[in-house]
Amino acid sequence: MHISIIIVTWNSAYFIPRCLSSLSVQTFKDFEIVIVDNGSVDDALTGLEETYPELDVKIERLETN
């Protein structure tokens, strides 16, 4: 079974790393993470793919919230 975890975010630089760190230590590993960013201006998503290479992270950036 493959699961998609969808995280909708806006200016969440404090929360996103904590969330992804928690997901990275899960014993169930058959999941992808889709982060939908609603026009953040806090650089919350900068470098996430490099910081969490063990996770299948996809980022969708929207222009506005």
Side-chain angles (χ1 to χ4, degrees):
M1 172 173 40
H2 185 76
I3 296 175
S4 294
I5 300 168
I6 301 170
I7 302 169
V8 180
T9 183
W10 181 74
N11 290 339
S12 299
Y14 175 76
F15 298 105
I16 292 297
R18 295 177 68 193
C19 181
L20 294 180
S21 291
S22 294
L23 289 169
S24 71
V25 297
Q26 296 301 307
T27 56
F28 181 82
K29 298 291 185 182
D30 192 15
F31 61 85
E32 68 176 350
I33 301 166
V34 180
I35 300 176
V36 180
D37 180 69
N38 282 326
S40 293
V41 295
D42 67 351
D43 295 326
L45 307 180
T46 302
L48 288 182
E49 292 100 336
E50 294 81 20
T51 305
Y52 300 95
E54 71 279 8
L55 297 176
D56 180 12
V57 178
K58 296 174 179 69
I59 298 174
E60 279 294 318
R61 288 182 170 87
L62 305 177
E63 295 296 318
T64 60
N65 183 358

